[in-house]
Amino acid sequence: MTVDGTAPATSAGLPASRAGSPIRIRDVDIRFGEFVAVRGASLDIAAGELVCLLGPSGCGKSTLLNAVAGFVRPAAGEVTCGGEAVTGPDVSRGVVFQSAEALFPWLTVRQNVAFGPQMRGVPKARRDAVVDRYLAMVGLAHSAERFPEQLSGGMRQRAQLARVLANDPSVVLMDEPFGALDAQTRLVMQVELDRIWRETGATIVFVTHDIGEAILLGDRIVTMTAGPSAAIKKDYRCDLPRPRDLTDPACAALFRELREDIGAEVARTLRAQGLDDGHDGRPGADRPERTEER
């Protein structure tokens, strides 16, 4: 159910097959010793939403995601999922990592996907049905008996997603999962993720530094300021019809707005490092002419 008690719906207006859980982040500070990675972050994510966290490298996107996963404990503030405080990792919050090395290399694809349900004591007949369902969903039924080293990068990420989904999570947390893929495979995976999200109805939080990827996937796009002491900067509602085309005028306009938003943070980081050349982060912005002393 959504936060208002209604059944969640996909962007196409169809009811989701399974409800996700709402996420609430309130006044969260995250510290590592004396270093403040995130300060005062607050964000509400409705059940069944796909929200992209977008920002330059080092802005705390993954750190905030890890707090929702329960891998990191906030120094202040609170994170809740489904109304329950997040105090540590839980099977209800599945994580898809950027690295395909997260798969167990000594297990086949089928065994990798079955691992979670097996550890939870799911009976074999039911476990086999769950594995078959999610292997078919991610298009890997034909590769079930292969080992990870026998798969392409895109196939390994599909296997990792199937392994997470087999635990029936209400929240799926994705930390730049397609960042290491080639451009064409990445486009295929973006389309597949959109389809799988519609089919499962899970809440998805997707970390990326790719503006186009955020526009193609997100119900909302949340930008963050540059670190340290990173914070939530702006929340963009992305109501554009799916599937999306980045050459569409509405998508292109949003792309430009986000590019300026993120560019300003990159410029601020450069200034802090003493590397400022007078550029304000906007593509095509004029730089001041340099005058040489004679």
Side-chain angles (χ1 to χ4, degrees):
M1 303 299 285
T2 63
V3 290
D4 62 0
T6 60
T10 66
S11 292
L14 300 175
S17 60
R18 182 178 70 250
S21 292
I23 299 168
R24 189 178 190 189
I25 300 168
R26 274 292 169 270
D27 303 317
V28 164
D29 291 356
I30 301 174
R31 299 172 179 268
F32 300 99
E34 296 299 314
F35 177 77
V36 182
V38 176
R39 186 187 297 278
S42 293
L43 180 65
D44 286 317
I45 299 173
E49 275 196 301
L50 198 166
V51 173
C52 291
L53 290 180
L54 178 67
S57 296
C59 75
K61 305 182 298 295
S62 295
T63 300
L64 192 58
L65 191 83
N66 286 337
V68 178
F71 299 151
V72 172
R73 293 290 298 273
E78 184 181 47
V79 179
T80 64
C81 182
E84 299 290 330
V86 173
T87 59
D90 189 88
V91 71
S92 66
R93 286 171 270 113
V95 182
V96 180
F97 299 97
Q98 179 176 356
S99 173
E101 302 304 316
L103 294 171
F104 298 129
W106 59 89
L107 298 181
T108 65
V109 170
R110 175 176 293 280
Q111 290 168 333
N112 264 283
V113 177
F115 182 82
Q118 183 176 356
M119 291 297 99
R120 291 187 290 118
V122 176
K124 187 177 186 307
R126 181 181 168 198
R127 185 169 71 236
D128 288 346
V130 167
V131 172
D132 287 342
R133 177 191 177 193
Y134 288 110
L135 286 177
M137 185 180 292
V138 302
L140 284 179
H142 64 292
S143 300
E145 306 309 322
R146 294 185 186 180
F147 288 91
E149 66 179 7
Q150 298 173 307
L151 305 178
S152 67
M155 293 171 74
R156 287 196 294 270
Q157 288 304 83
R158 290 171 188 260
Q160 192 182 164
L161 181 55
R163 187 174 68 174
V164 166
L165 294 175
N167 286 314
D168 199 32
S170 60
V171 170
V172 177
L173 306 170
M174 309 188 76
D175 190 4
E176 298 194 50
F178 309 147
L181 303 180
D182 65 86
Q184 294 303 316
T185 303
R186 188 167 185 163
L187 286 172
V188 170
M189 289 301 299
Q190 289 162 354
V191 171
E192 288 301 294
L193 177 61
D194 182 82
R195 176 184 61 81
I196 292 167
W197 166 65
R198 291 166 179 265
E199 189 168 337
T200 63
T203 304
I204 296 181
V205 184
F206 189 101
V207 165
T208 183
H209 63 266
D210 187 297
I211 296 171
E213 183 167 70
I215 293 172
L216 290 173
L217 293 175
D219 279 334
R220 287 159 58 205
I221 301 169
V222 177
T223 60
M224 296 185 68
T225 63
S229 296
I232 301 296
K233 183 177 183 182
K234 194 170 179 180
D235 191 337
Y236 296 80
R237 172 63 62 180
C238 193
D239 291 325
L240 301 171
R242 298 173 186 268
R244 295 168 182 164
D245 181 349
L246 293 179
T247 63
D248 177 83
C251 287
L254 179 57
F255 188 101
R256 288 191 295 270
E257 186 175 1
L258 287 164
R259 186 174 58 186
E260 291 196 11
D261 186 337
I262 301 303
E265 295 305 313
V266 173
R268 187 162 70 88
T269 299
L270 292 176
R271 286 195 296 272
Q273 296 173 353
L275 301 174
D276 181 32
D277 64 354
H279 190 228
D280 66 358
R282 293 177 300 158
D286 292 335
R287 294 173 171 80
E289 294 184 5
R290 296 184 177 179
T291 57
E292 296 183 7
E293 295 184 2
R294 301 185 183 278

